[in-house]
Amino acid sequence: MILSFHYSTSQPINQSTNAMYFKVVTIFPQMFDSFWNHGIIRRALEDKKIFASAVNIRNYAEDRHQVTDDRPYGGGSGMVMKPEPLAAAIRDASQTLTGTKTVLLTPQGRVFNQKMAWELATSDGLILVCGRYEGVDERICHDLIDYEISIGDYVLTGGEPAAMIIIDAVTRLIPGALGGEDAAEKDSFSDDLLEHAHYTRPGNFEGQEVPEVLLSGHHQEIEKWRLESSVMRTLLKRPDLLLQNKNLNRQQRDILKKWRFEIEKILDSQ
Ligand code: ADE
């Protein structure tokens, strides 16, 4: 992926890298200080796999008190985010970056999932607009927003945690961001199955043994076990994923048939 982020002011970015740019538009930029400074996100920033910053909408408010919200037309409770400072902040962010998508975080958006994370990871960069109060002025959505995304059917006090979730999920899909061995392709959901069970030392934890096959060093058997673990965990924990998956391969279907046979034997014996 050749990217073309242009800073209007600061340093140029090497456009031959796979870097991705995130810009968060928020009234609480400090919420992100800790987020940028831990784990994979921190390392991705250090390695210039991603470039990220949070901009304060207040800086774009022109009045003396830097007001970013106002009462809703038509009355009612709560406050609405004013369009002018928000539009100015989004426009400024998209002027300094080209080829980006602008995402509004809102409980009214499409519910985020792994497929959307892969889709967003193909864009050159993301501007993430964090709503607060009762919502943002509707006119912002018309011209300035490409996607409205929700992280689930519940209401947060603001879009900031949702922006962090999206940045986190997208960053780990950027080539090299997970470190030497990229594991993103093996993730839960990457093929509509949950990932297999994991074990580490000790071999016996409070009387529970690690499955023997994992200690055998027999790679083919281990892969077989992992596939079975993956299919059966999906069946037990998220059967909806199997139901909606119309592309189960032969091996995956055989595992389900084997267990159907075992279950029928139990039932027949009753
Ligand atoms: N803002 C408030 N609730 C939200 C949600 N569920 N997803 C994204 N942004 C939000």
Side-chain angles (χ1 to χ4, degrees), residues 16 38 45 98 120 168 211 233 250:
S16 66
H38 289 89
L45 281 162
T98 59
L120 294 178
D168 191 287
R233 279 160 87 81
R250 177 68 180 265

Side-chain angles (χ1 to χ4, degrees), residues 105-107 149-152 154-156 158-159 162:
L105 287 319
T106 161
I149 297 182
S150 162
I151 55 159
Y154 42 82
V155 182
L156 305 170

